[in-house]
Amino acid sequence: MAGAAGFTLADLAKALQARLEGDPARVVTGVATLDRATPAEISFVTHPRYRDAARASRAGAFLASDDVGDLPAPSLRCAAPQRALIELLRLFYPPPTVTPGVDPTAVVARGARVDPTAAIGPLTVVEDGATIGAGVRLHALVYVGQGAEIGAESVLYPHVTVRDGVRLGRRVIVHPGAVLGADGFSYVLDDGRHRKIPQVGRVVIEDDVEIGANAAVDRAMLGDTVIRRGTKVDNLVQIAHNCEVGEDCVIAAQVGIAGSSRIGRGVVLAGQVGVADHLTIGDGVTAAAQTGIHNDIEPGQTIWGTPARPAFQTKRIAVAESQLPELVRRVRALERAVDALTRARGSSTPADGDDGS
Amino acid sequence: MAGAAGFTLADLAKALQARLEGDPARVVTGVATLDRATPAEISFVTHPRYRDAARASRAGAFLASDDVGDLPAPSLRCAAPQRALIELLRLFYPPPTVTPGVDPTAVVARGARVDPTAAIGPLTVVEDGATIGAGVRLHALVYVGQGAEIGAESVLYPHVTVRDGVRLGRRVIVHPGAVLGADGFSYVLDDGRHRKIPQVGRVVIEDDVEIGANAAVDRAMLGDTVIRRGTKVDNLVQIAHNCEVGEDCVIAAQVGIAGSSRIGRGVVLAGQVGVADHLTIGDGVTAAAQTGIHNDIEPGQTIWGTPARPAFQTKRIAVAESQLPELVRRVRALERAVDALTRARGSSTPADGDDGS
Amino acid sequence: MAGAAGFTLADLAKALQARLEGDPARVVTGVATLDRATPAEISFVTHPRYRDAARASRAGAFLASDDVGDLPAPSLRCAAPQRALIELLRLFYPPPTVTPGVDPTAVVARGARVDPTAAIGPLTVVEDGATIGAGVRLHALVYVGQGAEIGAESVLYPHVTVRDGVRLGRRVIVHPGAVLGADGFSYVLDDGRHRKIPQVGRVVIEDDVEIGANAAVDRAMLGDTVIRRGTKVDNLVQIAHNCEVGEDCVIAAQVGIAGSSRIGRGVVLAGQVGVADHLTIGDGVTAAAQTGIHNDIEPGQTIWGTPARPAFQTKRIAVAESQLPELVRRVRALERAVDALTRARGSSTPADGDDGS
């Protein structure tokens, strides 16, 4: 799938604003990881820790950070190689050009407003009153409910569900099977039975958010469930009704956030983390995988474990836990020794002193 | 999306069977949470703990329980404000009226029986021998397999899959992307390879059950996987083959229940709980978030942790765990002190006594 | 759904290569579990531990292992009853015969190659350049992206998404709602914002793999995410970009495997296990439910807990944990006793010795 004829290193150096070490006329026809690259391909070394792998690589050229030492082939050097890598991948794998228009098999309600630059795929359904912005791409088999709004340049992959009234900002990406705006899980216990509370709020997804495959973001009971600008949500994540997730967060796969919790800005929740309801997680918090959060967390904390504790503390507890069975034995031995010492002293002071405390 | 002209408080008091404190002619045009309500809107105070928030609210009226004190605006008082809230929301957000009939783009097999009062949305597929009951609503892009039965008044949202032979009761709600009746995960190890056991059973969902977005309920190998009346299942839940979940349970998001387990009546499993296979969880059990259940649980227990223990015990362990690294140090100090005491006594009795035990 | 007229035990003995104890002319019309079987049905006893349940069963015949003792009805005996059960179920529930061809409502791009023996269901989308092999069955509402390849005899259930360039082997089964080839979750932090790295790799699923309902297998950034021959993946599993899962693994429901990890051959991950990124899990490893794996695991280990430890060790820690609150009290009592002993000795050596360490 790579670019047809390839690029010279001179071309690439210019495009990536990189400094070239080596032959500017050398041509590379693809990009590959260090272990797979052939002499016809360029690879990348984004960190000095990959230097040995780079030296063993057969790649014909490298994109590398300035602080990586000598390499066995011509190198494009730059200060931020990961950003340059994004450009490199775009050069070799240009995004598909999409033809605007509505596929004849799509079902678009007469009352929906579809920008003429949007592309609506086969068998996609857009309900009445929905708005599809400029340059939006709805893939095949997408569902957009009544009155929903899809902001400009957003991409919705197959089998996405956007229920009624949900609002997506610009450049939002929603991966296959994700569900935005299902009812919140909210009942009143009435004589032993659970009566459903109507879920009449919305979901608001701001600009540049990405939502993973088969993730679910529930609508609010009243008001909005909100995911703020730039936040990235991985596959199979659950975000419950009335939550608010701040800007630039990273919510990894299978995380669950219960109802009405507020996640600050720049928070990182690693895989399978659980957040209980009605909590406040401060800006910049990082939670390690599988952490179970049952209390508010102050900004800037790095936490781990269930119950969630500062990560260094959970690590120390984990180390001590390994010694726990042995510790039980040592305490038993101490008890015997103290008992013997006490008995050896006769029936005098120590035991009395103990009883009195 | 609120009711057009609004309601007088007199109207609302009558509809909700509430006692009005204040001007019966005041009109409210919407309902909103305490922090967002404007003077034109009514808000709600379902518990005395929200009294301070209520006093700070700009709401023009309140729905409140009798035991909430004075409020800064006219109040509709009642004993069960949460139930009244359901009615209030229905008044302002009446459920959509649905036109019966089969959308011309739906694909309904000739041998399917569709009640004339049912509504089948665009691009929905109903296979041969399926039965769609009275007043059922199948949204767009739903799949109903061969011989499946959808009970009266049930609602299936977009991208739901109901596989062949699955039976849903009345008033069942299935949220987008949920899968009912996929094959159970069941293999025979044969010479190092896993051979699939045919999964020829069904799924039976009783009346008034709700199934969350992207949840999965697997069909039985033989016989039925059953979810009994009134149980509510949240998003991304996994219920494996041959499980039986009792009446009026609450199964929160991302819970997983392994094969052939039986969950009693009125059980509450909080988010991300795991239940191993072939277990029996008694009636009325409550399991806190992320609990890992590996053994049968007696009725009425409140459990937490992995392995699951009575919650008060896991809490005490969690407290003690915090002290564990310190405890290791204290035991080391004790060992030194006892050693010194023993040595101070000479090579006499205590050590001997210890050796002998 | 069972076979119409039933089978004689003589027929079944021959088909299953079993030894018949009892009347060869007896007819059974269905197969059922021990507790549900009627005298007209055959049941199965795959292990001696079910002998009591078998003796209480009303079944008219049994399929049983040789080492199960006397049974109350005629028995088909064999050495590997679970394998024979697979055959028995296939006799009573023969797989549906599928008529090849493309449903007129399917949307198949002109540039797609569909084998004439394949069956494409209603409202299924096959994009340009995709290849659908011999005997493949795509159910209704399936999506197959550009250039994807579906190997012979594979079955894709409704609402499956196979994105562009994904390659499936032969006899692969993909359950409803599964997503193969969504973008990996991979960003560069650039001035506080997360910039998306293009995900231009593929997913490769080898022969005889099964993927559960609503599971997600992400495409590689570059190169391939690979699931090798014979591996079975349950519902709601997350397999991240650039992972490689070996042959004949069992990955239970709701497991999450983070980016670039390598899972060996014959590995068993029980429900809700989490595997961090860039790890190597050796061949034959078994991880108990909810285990959190943060380090490489040597081949053949059985592990449990978070952090993952050898299972016997986590079990011993769990037992010791139960005693932890009591242990804290015992250490406090010891400290008092030692303090009393030390004080009783006067202001002499032991305490000084302790202070000095």
Side-chain angles (χ1 to χ4, degrees):
Chain A
M1 285 187 276
F7 299 88
T8 66
L9 295 185
D11 290 341
L12 292 178
K14 194 174 168 195
L16 308 180
Q17 297 182 279
R19 182 167 49 81
L20 174 60
E21 295 176 356
D23 177 8
R26 179 172 288 202
V27 171
V28 285
T29 60
V31 52
T33 51
L34 291 171
D35 56 329
R36 287 169 167 246
T38 67
E41 292 171 313
I42 183 169
S43 193
F44 45 95
V45 199
T46 54
H47 194 277
R49 69 170 161 264
Y50 301 125
R51 194 182 317 173
D52 287 350
R55 288 189 180 148
S57 174
R58 297 171 56 237
F62 297 94
L63 169 66
S65 60
D66 289 326
D67 56 356
V68 173
D70 284 350
L71 289 168
S75 306
L76 298 165
R77 300 284 180 162
C78 57
Q82 286 203 301
R83 268 182 285 169
L85 174 59
I86 293 176
E87 303 312 315
L88 185 68
L89 289 168
R90 285 207 186 120
L91 288 170
F92 280 99
Y93 299 87
T97 54
V98 180
T99 313
V102 178
D103 188 277
T105 64
V107 179
V108 178
R110 232 173 298 169
R113 276 160 295 169
V114 177
D115 190 280
T117 61
I120 315 279
L123 303 176
T124 274
V125 174
V126 179
E127 302 272 25
D128 202 38
T131 303
I132 311 296
V136 164
R137 178 165 192 197
L138 305 184
H139 280 253
L141 294 162
V142 166
Y143 176 81
V144 178
Q146 276 188 31
E149 294 181 36
I150 313 296
E153 307 293 334
S154 292
V155 177
L156 277 60
Y157 282 98
H159 292 123
V160 162
T161 299
V162 177
R163 269 195 51 196
D164 49 301
V166 169
R167 197 180 279 196
L168 270 61
R170 290 166 295 173
R171 298 174 302 277
V172 170
I173 301 172
V174 188
H175 291 287
V179 175
L180 307 179
D183 284 0
F185 192 67
S186 183
Y187 304 90
V188 174
L189 195 60
D190 182 5
D191 208 13
R193 302 207 172 179
H194 304 285
R195 288 185 57 194
K196 183 177 177 67
I197 302 178
Q199 301 292 301
V200 300
R202 298 184 308 174
V203 170
V204 174
I205 309 278
E206 294 187 354
D207 296 349
D208 300 306
V209 166
E210 192 164 343
I211 305 282
N214 287 338
V217 182
D218 280 355
R219 67 196 311 117
M221 188 193 89
L222 267 177
D224 298 330
T225 303
V226 182
I227 301 186
R228 298 220 177 278
R229 186 199 49 70
T231 281
K232 311 301 184 186
V233 175
D234 201 354
N235 301 341
L236 293 162
V237 165
Q238 152 76 354
I239 297 178
H241 60 98
N242 293 86
C243 282
E244 184 181 329
V245 180
E247 297 186 347
D248 298 316
C249 291
V250 172
I251 313 290
Q254 295 174 322
V255 164
I257 305 176
S260 300
S261 280
R262 287 167 174 263
I263 311 296
R265 183 182 176 137
V267 168
V268 176
L269 303 180
Q272 299 182 333
V273 162
V275 179
D277 57 295
H278 290 89
L279 298 185
T280 299
I281 311 300
D283 292 352
V285 164
T286 295
Q290 293 190 330
T291 291
I293 307 180
H294 297 89
N295 292 294
D296 292 351
I297 306 292
E298 293 294 305
Q301 298 273 304
T302 297
I303 56 175
W304 182 35
T306 304
R309 295 185 175 98
F312 75 91
Q313 198 179 328
T314 296
K315 265 180 214 161
R316 283 176 55 205
I317 291 173
V319 169
E321 264 179 356
S322 307
Q323 310 172 29
L324 188 51
E326 177 62 20
L327 197 70
V328 170
R329 270 196 302 280
R330 283 160 66 191
V331 168
R332 208 175 303 133
L334 277 167
E335 286 168 337
R336 279 194 300 260
V338 167
D339 196 43
L341 282 165
T342 306
R343 271 188 283 110
R345 292 199 67 251
S347 60
S348 60
T349 37
D352 296 348
D354 194 24
D355 284 346
S357 67
Chain B
M1 286 186 275
F7 298 89
T8 65
L9 295 185
D11 291 342
L12 292 178
K14 194 174 165 194
L16 307 180
Q17 297 183 279
R19 183 166 49 82
L20 174 61
E21 295 175 356
D23 177 8
R26 178 173 288 202
V27 170
V28 286
T29 60
V31 52
T33 50
L34 291 170
D35 56 329
R36 287 170 166 245
T38 67
E41 292 172 312
I42 183 169
S43 192
F44 46 94
V45 199
T46 54
H47 194 276
R49 70 170 161 262
Y50 301 124
R51 195 182 316 173
D52 286 351
R55 288 190 180 147
S57 174
R58 297 171 56 238
F62 297 94
L63 169 66
S65 60
D66 289 325
D67 56 355
V68 174
D70 285 350
L71 290 168
S75 305
L76 298 166
R77 300 286 180 160
C78 57
Q82 287 203 302
R83 269 182 285 171
L85 174 59
I86 292 177
E87 303 312 315
L88 184 69
L89 290 168
R90 285 207 186 119
L91 288 170
F92 280 100
Y93 299 88
T97 53
V98 180
T99 313
V102 177
D103 188 278
T105 64
V107 178
V108 178
R110 233 173 297 168
R113 276 160 295 169
V114 177
D115 191 279
T117 61
I120 315 281
L123 303 175
T124 275
V125 174
V126 180
E127 301 273 24
D128 201 38
T131 302
I132 311 296
V136 164
R137 178 165 192 196
L138 305 183
H139 280 253
L141 294 162
V142 166
Y143 177 80
V144 178
Q146 276 188 31
E149 294 180 37
I150 312 296
E153 307 293 333
S154 292
V155 178
L156 277 62
Y157 282 99
H159 293 123
V160 162
T161 299
V162 177
R163 269 196 50 196
D164 49 301
V166 169
R167 197 181 280 197
L168 271 60
R170 290 167 294 172
R171 298 174 301 278
V172 170
I173 301 172
V174 188
H175 290 288
V179 175
L180 307 180
D183 285 359
F185 193 65
S186 182
Y187 304 90
V188 174
L189 195 60
D190 182 5
D191 208 13
R193 302 207 172 179
H194 303 286
R195 289 186 55 197
K196 182 177 177 68
I197 302 178
Q199 302 291 300
V200 299
R202 299 184 308 174
V203 170
V204 174
I205 308 279
E206 295 188 353
D207 296 349
D208 300 307
V209 165
E210 193 163 342
I211 305 282
N214 287 338
V217 182
D218 279 355
R219 67 195 312 117
M221 188 194 89
L222 268 176
D224 299 329
T225 303
V226 182
I227 302 185
R228 299 220 176 279
R229 186 199 49 71
T231 281
K232 311 302 184 184
V233 175
D234 201 354
N235 300 341
L236 294 162
V237 165
Q238 151 76 352
I239 297 178
H241 60 97
N242 293 84
C243 283
E244 183 182 329
V245 181
E247 298 185 346
D248 298 316
C249 292
V250 172
I251 313 291
Q254 297 175 321
V255 163
I257 306 177
S260 300
S261 280
R262 287 167 173 263
I263 311 296
R265 183 182 176 138
V267 168
V268 177
L269 304 180
Q272 299 182 333
V273 163
V275 179
D277 57 297
H278 289 89
L279 299 185
T280 299
I281 311 300
D283 292 352
V285 164
T286 295
Q290 294 190 331
T291 291
I293 307 180
H294 298 89
N295 292 295
D296 292 350
I297 306 292
E298 294 293 305
Q301 298 273 304
T302 297
I303 57 175
W304 183 35
T306 303
R309 295 187 175 97
F312 75 92
Q313 199 179 328
T314 296
K315 265 179 215 162
R316 283 175 56 205
I317 291 172
V319 169
E321 265 179 354
S322 306
Q323 310 171 29
L324 188 52
E326 177 62 21
L327 197 70
V328 170
R329 270 196 303 280
R330 283 161 66 191
V331 168
R332 207 175 303 133
L334 276 167
E335 286 168 338
R336 280 193 300 261
V338 167
D339 196 43
L341 281 166
T342 306
R343 271 188 284 109
R345 290 199 68 252
S347 60
S348 58
T349 37
D352 295 347
D354 194 26
D355 285 346
S357 66
Chain C
M1 285 188 277
F7 298 90
T8 66
L9 295 186
D11 291 342
L12 292 178
K14 194 174 166 194
L16 306 180
Q17 297 182 279
R19 182 166 49 82
L20 174 60
E21 295 176 357
D23 177 8
R26 179 174 287 201
V27 170
V28 285
T29 60
V31 51
T33 51
L34 291 170
D35 57 328
R36 286 169 167 246
T38 67
E41 292 172 314
I42 183 169
S43 192
F44 45 95
V45 199
T46 54
H47 194 276
R49 70 170 162 262
Y50 301 125
R51 195 181 317 174
D52 287 350
R55 288 191 179 146
S57 174
R58 296 171 57 237
F62 297 95
L63 169 66
S65 60
D66 289 326
D67 57 355
V68 174
D70 285 350
L71 290 168
S75 305
L76 297 166
R77 299 286 180 161
C78 58
Q82 287 202 301
R83 268 182 285 169
L85 174 60
I86 292 177
E87 302 313 316
L88 185 68
L89 290 168
R90 286 207 186 120
L91 288 170
F92 280 100
Y93 299 88
T97 54
V98 179
T99 312
V102 177
D103 189 277
T105 64
V107 178
V108 178
R110 232 172 300 168
R113 277 160 294 169
V114 178
D115 190 280
T117 61
I120 314 280
L123 303 175
T124 275
V125 174
V126 179
E127 302 272 24
D128 202 37
T131 303
I132 311 296
V136 164
R137 179 166 191 197
L138 305 183
H139 280 253
L141 295 162
V142 165
Y143 177 81
V144 178
Q146 275 188 33
E149 294 180 36
I150 313 295
E153 307 293 333
S154 292
V155 178
L156 277 61
Y157 282 98
H159 293 122
V160 162
T161 299
V162 177
R163 269 196 50 195
D164 49 301
V166 170
R167 198 180 280 198
L168 271 60
R170 289 165 296 171
R171 297 174 302 278
V172 170
I173 301 172
V174 188
H175 290 288
V179 175
L180 306 180
D183 284 0
F185 193 67
S186 182
Y187 304 90
V188 174
L189 195 58
D190 182 6
D191 208 13
R193 302 208 173 178
H194 304 285
R195 288 185 57 195
K196 182 177 177 67
I197 302 178
Q199 302 291 301
V200 300
R202 298 183 309 172
V203 171
V204 174
I205 309 277
E206 295 188 354
D207 297 348
D208 299 306
V209 165
E210 193 164 342
I211 305 283
N214 287 340
V217 182
D218 279 356
R219 69 194 312 117
M221 188 194 89
L222 267 176
D224 299 328
T225 304
V226 182
I227 302 186
R228 300 220 176 278
R229 186 199 49 71
T231 281
K232 311 301 183 185
V233 175
D234 202 355
N235 301 341
L236 294 162
V237 165
Q238 152 76 352
I239 296 178
H241 61 98
N242 293 85
C243 282
E244 184 183 329
V245 181
E247 297 186 349
D248 298 316
C249 291
V250 172
I251 313 291
Q254 295 174 321
V255 163
I257 305 176
S260 300
S261 280
R262 288 167 174 262
I263 312 294
R265 182 183 178 138
V267 169
V268 177
L269 304 180
Q272 299 182 334
V273 162
V275 179
D277 58 295
H278 290 89
L279 298 185
T280 299
I281 311 299
D283 293 350
V285 165
T286 295
Q290 292 189 330
T291 291
I293 307 180
H294 298 90
N295 291 296
D296 292 350
I297 307 291
E298 293 294 306
Q301 299 273 304
T302 297
I303 55 175
W304 183 34
T306 304
R309 295 186 175 98
F312 76 92
Q313 199 178 328
T314 296
K315 266 180 215 162
R316 283 175 55 204
I317 291 172
V319 169
E321 265 179 355
S322 306
Q323 310 170 29
L324 188 52
E326 177 62 20
L327 197 71
V328 170
R329 270 196 302 279
R330 283 161 64 190
V331 168
R332 208 174 303 132
L334 277 167
E335 287 168 337
R336 281 194 299 260
V338 167
D339 196 44
L341 281 165
T342 307
R343 272 188 283 111
R345 291 199 67 252
S347 59
S348 59
T349 37
D352 296 347
D354 194 27
D355 285 345
S357 67

